[in-house]
Amino acid sequence: MPDRELVSLFRTSGNMDVLAALFQRYMDLLYGVCLKYLKQPEPARDAVMQIFEELVVKLPKHEVENFKSWLYTLAKNYCLMQLRTPKNLRTTEFNPDSMQLEEEVHLNGIQVREDNLQKLERCLQTLSTEQKTAVELFYLQNKCYKEIAEATGIEWNKVRSFIQNGRRNLKICMEKPETETVEARNTRY
């Protein structure tokens, strides 16, 4: 069967024998690609097996027109990611005394302590409606850009812009002395 038919059959049935037959056709190619990037036979063989595991997950999620070139790209990207991963990742014990206080919350560079929460609430009110909504959904409800776009009907790029501009405006507002924010609030009314 041609690659395209095997891909389609695997995507509809999830049959691992179909995927194995398809994968078998390109194992030598994959090994060559992995050896080219990883430079050693053992890591290259391990990478071929890992790529098969990735294939099981990724192939059903992608429309693949040319399986061979798609698989080559998948293998190349996998190898490049392996090269970027630190080989000698070391872990050390940490001293809990050097950690932040529990009541601190970070808003990408804005440290908010209990005594600043009221100021943050006031500063949130100074944002445009779109910025305020996007910032609250992103930071307070842990929504991603896509979820915010779906919930609000705002385009993804605009959501990103509202969050970035809202975060910048919040930071500016939070860094102002308290008297400036009070005066600004009083002049609005």
Side-chain angles (χ1 to χ4, degrees), residues 159-176:
V159 167
R160 186 183 68 179
S161 177
F162 289 141
I163 291 170
Q164 289 173 345
N165 292 334
R167 183 179 61 219
R168 184 191 68 238
N169 292 337
L170 272 179
K171 186 173 189 249
I172 291 168
C173 180
M174 291 294 291
E175 289 173 348
K176 287 182 184 175

Side-chain angles (χ1 to χ4, degrees), residues 130-153:
E130 295 89 355
Q131 286 178 1
K132 181 180 178 210
T133 301
V135 166
E136 287 177 343
L137 289 171
F138 188 75
Y139 289 106
L140 302 180
Q141 296 182 25
N142 294 320
K143 303 280 187 192
C144 67
Y145 289 179
K146 182 179 177 186
E147 292 172 323
I148 296 169
E150 289 171 356
T152 61

Side-chain angles (χ1 to χ4, degrees), residues 78-137:
Y78 177 85
C79 291
L80 290 173
M81 289 305 294
Q82 293 305 303
L83 293 172
R84 288 183 189 127
T85 303
K87 291 180 176 141
N88 297 322
L89 184 63
R90 295 181 188 155
T91 57
T92 58
E93 293 292 321
F94 71 93
N95 179 356
D97 296 332
S98 66
M99 299 300 290
Q100 304 175 319
L101 297 174
E102 288 182 15
E103 65 269 3
E104 290 183 12
V105 178
H106 288 275
L107 189 58
N108 280 13
I110 305 173
Q111 282 192 351
V112 182
R113 292 189 176 92
E114 190 64 38
D115 56 332
N116 285 337
L117 285 176
Q118 290 179 345
K119 186 173 183 180
L120 177 62
E121 283 295 322
R122 284 192 299 274
C123 288
L124 272 170
Q125 301 308 316
T126 66
L127 300 179
S128 72
T129 305
E130 295 89 355
Q131 286 178 1
K132 181 180 178 210
T133 301
V135 166
E136 287 177 343
L137 289 171

Side-chain angles (χ1 to χ4, degrees), residues 8 11 15 18 38 40 45 56 80 138 160:
S8 178
R11 291 185 69 200
N15 186 335
V18 172
L38 302 176
Q40 296 175 350
R45 281 191 289 274
V56 172
L80 290 173
F138 188 75
R160 186 183 68 179

